[in-house]
């Protein structure tokens, strides 16, 4: 083994703790880069593979009822490659052991082999058999939530008639990867999808020889917009409720939104992690190499070529960085798999496809290597450029000048140790600022990674407590007379009930259109409050329409503008309305009117389509038992159940993500703080040992070094919290979330958590350095300059 190779091994052993902390910084940057990018790539690939395998449709149409003869006309439209029609109805379910009513979406299917589009994937049991009309398949998420399996039975209220269905299979559908009745919250417990014999479902809802849902795939090169326009015109006489492309299909839209959100996270967070890691490598390694100035000079004096010396230090850095890369790849792969697996809580894929593309590893490794080798090369090049005799001398001390407090005549207020600390910091302000900036970056990462819990809590509080104050929403199968409100209000446990009317509409402003639901409430409503950005109640005018702020932006309208309202119900009525106010809905893009004005628009009397209820919790079971028996009730949405399901599924993801971000940021903080302190110790060992010989105690000597460290952390904390706030805004601004308005709410607890995590990292590093100071070999250190 050559001399320099032995020195390399000896150096690595002597600086093993520093090497480990530098490797941690590299591993944190690479781990975050690989985990987030591979999760994004895996989700995209899983979706693409599943869509291809299940032949997921590209255009969808919901209609009131169309005869089967129309199928041929749809199939003959230019650009249509394949067509699948079905009957879809939402019903109330009665499941043994479950008090609350549960919503079931019943889909009629034939047993004539696999469907042409939106094919089901069988997970357990078997498919439906011909002539067994009481069999049903159920979506896997709902089956797991209620522990249902083949052989179990559920009771469905089919058009007012109780029907018992036997579950024969558990399936997945590309249409319901994200199971939701139309909202943005997952609800596997309160919403299930069932597939049953089409003829039986048709006979229950008087839909024999008809269909109310169509799914289409497009021929290569076909225009989606042209097909939708043609389909709209064709289905209009049959009560066309909604024709849309894949981008507006609920499950795909939410999945797409989540993948785009992951893309933003995978772009911003890894860039920050890797950028911070590269910056710190540059700072730490250049200082680390500079501490070996005398050894480099000795090697030159002994005749070693500059190239050999540079190669030696580059190898040293290479070994450390490679260790960090290996650790980062392993941690990143594990994290990426776990994060992708967590998404299966929300999204139901037949199989989890996790992969790491080689370019992700190569790019992350290349950036780290370039930063580390560049830093080391720069430091070595500066030293080898010196003549050996000059390089063997310690660097010239910086010029002495009075510190600011001394100029102000306040120096006597400080102890000698404090004056030494401040003087050192003033001599090297750039080094102090760079170290503090590195620590501040770690704090910013923690804040930006952990504020999501605050934001979601605030969003839930505003949307589901301040705005939607009811406990239960009852929706009828068809609009009913207002007398239905009094029938609901007489049920046990009802403290207050308010009517509502919802109509699917197309809003048109110039060339811009948007399909949504126009909701009508009484002007004196208490259970549904419309709020502005200051959370003040916005009154419903007797005429005019209120739009959510983001919907107005999408339509390009402002207060006082006129928009066209086109009903998508059977009447197809149209009317212009003035935008009379904007409201701050945090979920969904909706429009609102006074219920009387909405009924005038529809040309109806006092009809209502649902009732919001405030319920006495003590009598909830009695209320649910009665509501299950009401044939005109289509669905019952229980707010607490929906929120509990959402929080349970989100909690795992938030805890995992927050923990990982904190660990990575702490690793960066430890890498910065510990290396900064160790390098300062190496640079000032002679000075500290001299002070010990002059009579300073270990504590007083430690105070000189750790005081600098404390100042740098104290400077970094407010800066890091501010950077974290800016970073959080940047991330939210970059997220293309159309239907959810994520607020940048950061509580003092989150700020305190970030600061505490860094303080603990700093204290741990300080204790290690203090141990080193306590065990300084005074004789060896003082002989160094002789």
């Amino acid at each position: 083994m050559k001399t320099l190779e032995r020195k390399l091994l000896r150096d690595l052993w002597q600086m093993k703790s520093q090497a480990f902390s530098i490797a941690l910084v590299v591993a944190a940057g690479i781990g975050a880069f690989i985990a987030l990018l591979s999760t994004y790539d895996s989700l995209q690939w899983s979706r693409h593979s599943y869509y291809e395998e299940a032949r997921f449709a590209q255009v969808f149409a919901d209609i009131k009822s169309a005869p089967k003869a129309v199928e041929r006309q749809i199939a003959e439209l230019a650009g249509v490659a394949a067509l699948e029609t079905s009957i879809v109805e939402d019903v109330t379910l009665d499941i043994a052991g479950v008090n609350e009513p549960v919503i079931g979406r019943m889909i009629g299917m034939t047993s004539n082999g696999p469907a042409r589009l939106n094919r089901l994937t069988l997970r357990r049991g078997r498919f439906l058999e011909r002539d067994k009309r009481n069999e049903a398949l159920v979506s896997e998420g709902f089956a797991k939530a209620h522990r249902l399996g083949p052989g179990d039975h559920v009771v469905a209220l089919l058009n007012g008639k109780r029907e018992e269905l036997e579950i024969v299979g558990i399936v997945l559908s590309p249409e319901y990867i994200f199971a939701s009745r139309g909202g943005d919250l997952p609800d596997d417990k309160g919403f299930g999808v069932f597939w049953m014999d089409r003829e039986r479902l048709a006979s229950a809802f008087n839909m024999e020889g008809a269909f109310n849902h169509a799914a289409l795939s497009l021929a290569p090169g076909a225009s989606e917009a042209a097909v939708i326009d043609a389909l709209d015109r064709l289905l209009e006489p049959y009560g066309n409720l909604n024709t849309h492309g894949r981008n507006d299909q609920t499950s795909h839209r939410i999945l797409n939104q989540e993948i785009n959100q992951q893309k933003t996270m995978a772009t911003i967070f890894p860039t920050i992690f890797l950028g911070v890691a590269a910056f710190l490598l540059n700072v730490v390694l250049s200082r680390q190499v500079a501490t070996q100035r005398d050894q480099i000079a000795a090697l030159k004096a002994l005749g070693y070529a500059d190239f050999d010396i540079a190669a030696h230090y580059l190898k040293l850095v290479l070994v450390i960085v490679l260790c960090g890369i290996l650790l980062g790849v392993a941690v990143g792969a594990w994290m990426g798999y776990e994060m992708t697996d967590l998404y299966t809580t929300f999204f139901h894929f037949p199989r989890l496809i996790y992969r790491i593309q080689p370019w992700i590893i190569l790019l992350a490794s290349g950036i780290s290597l370039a930063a580390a080798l560049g830093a080391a090369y720069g430091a070595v090049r500066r030293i080898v450029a010196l003549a050996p005799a000059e390089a063997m001398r310690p660097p010239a001390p910086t010029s002495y000048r009075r510190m600011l407090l001394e100029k102000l005549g306040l120096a006597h207020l400080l102890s000698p140790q404090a004056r030494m600390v401040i003087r050192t910091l003033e001599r090297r302000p750039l080094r102090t600022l760079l170290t503090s900036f590195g620590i501040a970056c770690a704090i910013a990462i923690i804040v930006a990674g952990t504020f999501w819990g605050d934001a979601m809590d605030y969003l839930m509080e505003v949307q589901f407590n301040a705005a939607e104050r009811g406990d239960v929403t009852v929706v009828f199968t068809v609009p009913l007379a207002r007398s239905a409100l009094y029938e609901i209000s007489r049920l046990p446990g009802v403290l207050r009930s308010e009517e509502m009317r919802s109509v699917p509409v197309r809003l048109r402003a110039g060339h811009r259109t948007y399909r949504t639901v126009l909701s009508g409430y009484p002007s004196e409503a208490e259970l549904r409050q419309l709020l502005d950005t200051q959370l003040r109640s916005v009154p419903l005018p007797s005429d005019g329409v209120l739009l959510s702020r983001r919907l107005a932006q999408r339509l390009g309208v402002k207060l006082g503008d006129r928009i066209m309202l086109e009903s998508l119900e059977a009447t197809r009525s149209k009317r212009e309305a003035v935008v009379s106010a904007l409201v701050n809905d945090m979920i969904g893009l909706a429009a609102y009117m006074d219920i009387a004005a909405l009924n005038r628009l529809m040309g109806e009397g006092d009809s209502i389509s649902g009732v919001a209820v405030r319920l006495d919790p003590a009598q909830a079971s009695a209320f649910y038992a009665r509501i299950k028996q009401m044939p005109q009730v289509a669905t019952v949405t229980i707010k607490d159940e929906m929120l509990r399901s959402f929080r349970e599924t989100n909690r795992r993801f938030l805890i995992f993500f927050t923990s990982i971000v904190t660990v990575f940021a702490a690793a960066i903080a430890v890498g910065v703080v510990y290396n900064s302190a160790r390098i300062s110790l190496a640079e000032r060992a002679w000075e500290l040992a001299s002070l010990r010989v002059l009579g300073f105690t270990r504590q007083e000597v430690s105070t000189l070094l750790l005081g600098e460290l404390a100042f740098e952390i104290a400077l970094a904390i407010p800066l890091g919290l501010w950077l974290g706030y800016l970073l959080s805004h940047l991330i939210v601004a970059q997220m293309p979330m159309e239907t959810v308005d994520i607020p940048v709410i950061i509580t003092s607890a989150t700020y305190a958590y970030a600061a505490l995590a860094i303080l603990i990292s700093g204290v741990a590093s300080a204790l290690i350095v203090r141990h080193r100071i306590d065990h300084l070999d005074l004789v060896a250190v003082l002989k160094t300059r002789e």
Side-chain angles (χ1 to χ4, degrees):
M1 183 179 288
K2 296 180 179 177
T3 304
L4 284 181
E5 290 173 349
R6 285 198 298 274
K7 181 180 183 304
L8 174 64
L9 294 177
R10 197 180 306 125
D11 286 348
L12 283 171
W13 177 252
Q14 288 176 346
M15 58 179 293
K16 53 184 178 297
S17 55
Q18 287 172 269
F20 179 69
S21 64
I22 294 171
L24 272 184
V25 172
V26 176
I30 289 182
F33 191 89
I34 289 175
L36 291 170
L37 272 178
S38 63
T39 301
Y40 163 68
D41 177 64
S42 299
L43 280 175
Q44 242 192 349
W45 181 245
S46 296
R47 179 183 65 177
H48 174 76
S49 303
Y50 186 30
Y51 281 1
E52 289 292 314
E53 187 180 307
R55 304 191 65 182
F56 186 43
Q58 292 160 295
V59 174
F60 304 83
D62 294 306
I63 49 208
K64 191 171 182 183
S65 176
K68 285 183 72 66
V70 177
E71 289 181 353
R72 184 174 177 182
Q73 298 176 50
I74 298 175
E76 289 175 350
L77 289 174
V80 175
L83 167 68
E84 191 72 41
T85 65
S86 59
I87 298 170
V88 179
E89 297 288 348
D90 286 352
V91 303
T92 297
L93 301 176
D94 189 1
I95 299 175
V98 179
N99 290 332
E100 300 83 4
V102 176
I103 300 170
R105 174 158 295 171
M106 314 306 293
I107 300 176
M109 67 178 294
T110 61
S111 50
N112 301 327
R116 281 162 290 188
L117 299 172
N118 302 335
R119 290 177 174 171
L120 301 180
T121 301
L122 186 67
R123 305 285 282 177
R124 292 167 55 198
R126 61 172 173 79
F127 283 112
L128 304 180
E129 289 184 352
R130 190 188 298 270
D131 300 328
K132 292 189 176 180
R133 292 160 62 92
N134 69 331
E135 292 182 345
L137 306 172
V138 62
S139 54
E140 188 179 56
F142 185 79
K144 283 182 177 176
H146 291 278
R147 299 180 180 178
L148 295 174
D152 290 331
H153 293 78
V154 296
V155 174
L157 205 63
L158 300 182
N159 204 18
K161 186 179 178 183
R162 292 173 64 85
E163 299 278 358
E164 184 172 280
L165 301 172
E166 179 189 0
I167 295 172
V168 297
I170 311 297
V171 296
L172 292 174
S173 165
E175 278 190 283
Y176 297 97
I177 292 175
F178 181 86
S180 168
R181 192 166 169 263
D184 295 296
L185 303 182
D187 190 14
D188 280 327
K189 200 168 183 180
F191 176 72
V193 187
F194 290 76
W195 288 261
M196 60 179 291
D197 181 75
R198 177 167 175 162
E199 291 183 7
R200 181 173 184 189
L201 187 62
S203 65
F205 285 91
N206 303 318
M207 292 279 292
E208 293 93 342
F211 65 92
N212 64 4
H213 180 76
L216 292 71
S217 66
L218 302 179
S223 164
E224 180 184 288
V227 171
I228 289 175
D229 282 345
L231 196 59
D232 250 344
R233 290 193 298 273
L234 177 62
L235 295 177
E236 187 166 350
Y238 308 104
N240 181 17
L241 302 177
N242 191 7
T243 306
H244 55 83
R246 185 185 282 180
N247 285 338
D248 290 324
Q249 200 267 341
T250 302
S251 171
H252 176 81
R253 178 169 52 82
I254 301 296
L255 177 58
N256 208 36
Q257 187 170 281
E258 191 64 37
I259 290 177
N260 286 335
Q261 184 179 338
Q262 183 64 32
K263 181 182 179 182
T264 302
M265 302 282 273
T267 304
I268 296 178
F269 266 105
T271 303
I272 294 170
F273 265 110
L274 217 49
V276 171
F279 165 73
L280 296 178
L281 279 176
N282 202 295
V283 173
V284 170
L285 286 176
S286 59
R287 287 183 66 187
Q288 183 66 44
V289 172
T291 61
Q292 299 204 3
R293 171 192 172 111
D294 55 341
Q295 296 182 32
I296 294 173
L299 289 172
K300 285 174 63 76
L302 290 171
Y304 283 94
D306 292 349
F307 176 82
D308 294 331
I309 296 172
H312 163 74
Y313 282 99
L314 292 181
K315 285 178 187 174
L316 177 75
V317 171
L318 194 62
V319 170
I320 296 172
V321 175
L322 283 177
C323 290
I325 289 174
L326 291 175
L327 182 61
V329 170
V331 172
W334 171 76
M335 272 183 50
Y337 179 84
E338 291 295 326
M339 287 179 66
T340 308
D341 187 47
L342 275 176
Y343 274 105
T344 59
T345 309
F346 305 94
F347 303 112
H348 305 293
F349 290 102
R351 61 180 177 278
L352 170 69
I353 302 176
Y354 178 68
R355 65 177 190 177
I356 304 177
Q357 298 219 59
W359 69 265
I360 297 176
I361 298 176
L362 291 175
L363 181 59
S365 305
I367 293 173
S368 300
L369 281 171
L373 293 178
Y377 177 74
V380 172
R381 193 166 63 90
R382 284 192 296 272
I383 297 173
V384 296
L386 299 174
E390 182 183 354
M392 292 176 98
R393 290 197 296 269
T398 54
S399 59
Y400 174 80
R401 63 178 181 273
R402 298 173 66 197
M403 62 180 185
L404 181 60
L405 287 176
E406 289 173 322
K407 293 176 182 175
L408 297 174
L410 302 174
H412 65 282
L413 299 176
L414 301 175
S415 66
Q417 293 93 331
R419 288 201 294 273
M420 289 185 200
V421 170
I422 295 175
R423 201 173 287 134
T424 304
L425 293 170
E426 280 192 2
R427 282 176 189 162
R428 294 167 175 167
L430 181 60
R431 176 184 294 186
T432 302
L433 290 176
L434 288 178
T435 304
S436 294
F437 182 72
I439 301 169
C441 288
I443 297 172
I445 290 171
I446 296 179
V447 172
T450 54
F451 89 97
W452 296 96
D454 299 336
M456 295 311 292
D457 286 345
Y458 180 82
L459 187 149
M460 292 292 142
E461 174 64 27
V462 171
Q463 189 67 32
F464 294 102
N465 285 329
E468 297 180 16
R469 300 179 178 182
D471 300 313
V472 175
T473 302
V474 179
V475 176
F476 303 125
T477 53
V478 294
L480 301 176
R482 195 166 186 271
S483 58
L485 171 66
Y486 304 111
E487 192 175 345
I488 295 291
S489 65
R490 288 197 295 270
L491 293 177
V494 176
L495 302 176
R496 185 180 177 85
S497 60
E498 291 176 357
E499 70 273 32
M500 53 184 283
R501 177 77 170 98
S502 298
V503 178
V505 293
R506 180 192 289 117
L507 307 181
R508 187 182 299 278
H511 66 283
R512 298 180 181 180
T513 63
Y514 189 78
R515 292 171 187 258
T516 184
V517 172
L518 178 58
S519 299
Y521 299 100
S523 56
E524 70 280 5
E526 288 186 11
L527 300 184
R528 183 61 170 97
Q529 294 289 305
L530 303 176
L531 306 173
D532 63 12
T533 53
Q534 304 299 316
L535 303 186
R536 295 171 301 204
S537 180
V538 179
L540 269 171
S542 58
D543 206 354
V545 62
L546 285 71
L547 301 181
S548 67
R549 183 171 43 85
R550 285 172 295 118
L551 177 56
Q553 289 172 352
R554 175 156 179 156
L555 291 172
V557 296
K558 57 185 184 303
L559 286 179
D561 287 350
R562 302 184 73 84
I563 61 172
M564 178 63 73
L565 310 176
E566 300 176 22
S567 163
L568 299 177
E569 284 195 346
T571 60
R572 314 292 290 187
S573 54
K574 298 181 181 178
R575 177 190 161 187
E576 269 198 344
V578 176
V579 179
S580 55
L582 301 181
V583 297
N584 191 41
D585 280 350
M586 307 194 83
I587 297 179
L589 303 180
Y592 305 94
M593 285 186 86
D594 179 85
I595 189 169
L598 179 54
N599 279 328
R600 286 197 299 274
L601 168 69
M602 297 300 296
E604 300 171 345
D606 285 341
S607 63
I608 62 175
S609 57
V611 176
V613 174
R614 180 176 291 157
L615 201 57
D616 178 2
Q619 299 188 63
S621 297
F623 173 82
Y624 296 142
R626 290 286 300 277
I627 206 82
K628 285 180 184 176
Q629 307 301 320
M630 300 182 74
Q632 291 175 315
V633 171
T635 62
V636 179
T637 304
I638 304 168
K639 188 172 72 176
D640 284 349
E641 286 294 320
M642 184 177 62
L643 292 180
R644 186 167 59 204
S645 171
F646 175 73
R647 287 194 171 109
E648 283 175 359
T649 48
N650 263 282
R651 188 172 53 200
R652 282 179 58 205
F653 188 85
L654 282 175
I655 290 175
F656 180 81
F657 185 73
T658 300
S659 304
I660 292 300
V661 166
T662 303
V663 168
F664 278 176
I668 288 178
V670 168
V672 177
V673 174
Y674 179 68
N675 272 287
S676 176
R678 281 298 311 272
I679 293 169
S680 293
L681 176 61
E683 292 170 343
R684 300 177 60 191
W686 189 86
E687 176 186 342
L688 297 176
S690 300
L691 292 173
R692 286 289 315 281
V693 171
L694 291 173
F696 279 68
T697 64
R698 289 176 177 176
Q699 183 176 352
E700 290 169 334
V701 170
S702 300
T703 303
L704 296 179
L705 202 58
L706 301 183
E708 297 172 20
L709 187 60
F711 180 87
E712 289 164 347
I713 292 177
L715 182 64
I717 287 177
L719 176 63
L721 298 180
W722 178 65
L723 290 176
Y725 177 77
L726 296 182
L727 182 58
S728 303
H729 269 281
L730 174 67
I731 292 172
V732 170
Q734 295 298 316
M735 284 188 173
M737 299 185 72
E738 180 186 85
T739 56
V740 180
D741 186 13
I742 295 181
V744 181
I745 299 294
I746 307 175
T747 64
S748 53
T750 298
Y751 283 130
Y753 172 76
L756 185 63
I758 297 303
L759 279 175
I760 292 173
S761 305
V763 169
S765 303
L767 289 175
I768 298 172
V769 174
R770 168 66 190 267
H771 177 78
R772 292 274 179 180
I773 296 174
D774 289 348
H775 293 81
L776 271 180
D777 184 346
L778 300 180
V779 176
V781 171
L782 291 173
K783 287 177 67 177
T784 304
R785 295 192 178 185
E786 293 176 0

